[in-house]
Amino acid sequence: SAFVSPWGSHNITGVDENGHVWTLWTSPEFVGWTITDLTDWLHADPISGGVTSFLTSWNAFNMTGLSSTGELVTMWWAPELGPGNWQVSFIGQGQTTWDTSIQVDSWFNAAEQSLNFVGKDQSGQITCYTWSVSDQTWRSEVVQPINAADRVARVSPDRGRPTVSRAIGLGASGHLLWFYRTSDVATWAFEDIT
């Protein structure tokens, strides 16, 4: 997972076999690259599975994964925190528990000014967990219910247009399904695009 900040900082993030989140980064004022074990540096617990990252419009860096109990854990930094003052936060504690066998993915929607995380919850539904600047409340949205006719194992967000919330997944039938947040910004619909 990777992103580039407006000031030219390049950040590439991954997870090792012990669940530690590592970031390989550089910035215009440095020569060469630096690698940092964020998990160790922040005294955070290891994560289960992969890590996903994005940059917000207020230049906050977010690197997110799942705890061993299925909670979203974010390691994040924003310029107003000051250099090196990273934070570790549990997102929506006690609201949605995720299936740790499926990686959570994420994106930032610039039009909605929203943070979005998509994965499979423990009931088996494909779920999007979202927070926006306007309402500042975490909410869970069902992307695909458990009883859907053509179930997908997981979805990946469409990052091609940062002003929409869309995801794509492969159904059990082999058909490609395109999911999108509707205009009421609370429900999801889908189309079979095969």
Side-chain angles (χ1 to χ4, degrees):
S1 189
F3 58 85
V4 179
S5 74
W7 54 90
S9 168
H10 293 252
N11 300 269
I12 303 168
T13 306
V15 180
D16 68 19
E17 67 277 0
N18 298 314
H20 282 226
V21 175
W22 290 80
T23 184
L24 177 66
W25 60 279
T26 190
S27 195
E29 67 268 20
F30 299 121
V31 175
W33 289 78
T34 300
I35 187 163
T36 304
D37 180 343
L38 284 177
T39 303
D40 185 56
W41 186 54
L42 295 170
H43 306 289
D45 291 330
I47 65 169
S48 177
V51 65
T52 181
S53 63
F54 60 84
L55 178 70
T56 68
S57 60
W58 54 93
N59 298 320
F61 297 6
N62 292 267
M63 287 105 170
T64 305
L66 295 174
S67 72
S68 61
T69 58
E71 291 180 296
L72 282 171
V73 180
T74 294
M75 298 173 190
W76 64 279
W77 175 84
E80 62 268 14
L81 296 176
N85 292 321
W86 284 71
Q87 304 290 312
V88 179
S89 299
F90 284 93
I91 298 173
Q93 210 162 6
Q95 294 186 31
T96 299
T97 304
W98 301 87
D99 178 345
T100 58
S101 69
I102 306 293
Q103 181 175 330
V104 170
D105 215 331
S106 65
W107 71 97
F108 178 74
N109 183 312
E112 297 172 0
Q113 292 290 291
S114 64
L115 316 178
N116 299 272
F117 302 92
V118 66
K120 187 180 281 189
D121 67 22
Q122 284 195 331
S123 74
Q125 295 186 119
I126 300 294
T127 301
C128 179
Y129 206 53
T130 188
W131 177 92
S132 69
V133 171
S134 62
D135 65 24
Q136 299 197 9
T137 302
W138 286 101
R139 71 176 185 272
S140 182
E141 303 169 344
V142 175
V143 176
Q144 187 184 50
I146 191 71
N147 61 354
D150 195 6
R151 297 282 298 143
V152 296
R154 71 175 288 230
V155 296
S156 295
D158 173 2
R159 292 190 184 92
R161 292 187 51 210
T163 58
V164 296
S165 290
R166 301 186 299 200
I168 196 159
L170 188 63
S173 67
H175 287 217
L176 206 52
L177 304 178
W178 181 52
F179 299 90
Y180 55 93
R181 186 178 283 139
T182 59
S183 58
D184 69 6
V185 192
T187 58
W188 287 72
F190 79 95
E191 292 178 23
D192 184 332
I193 58 174
T194 301

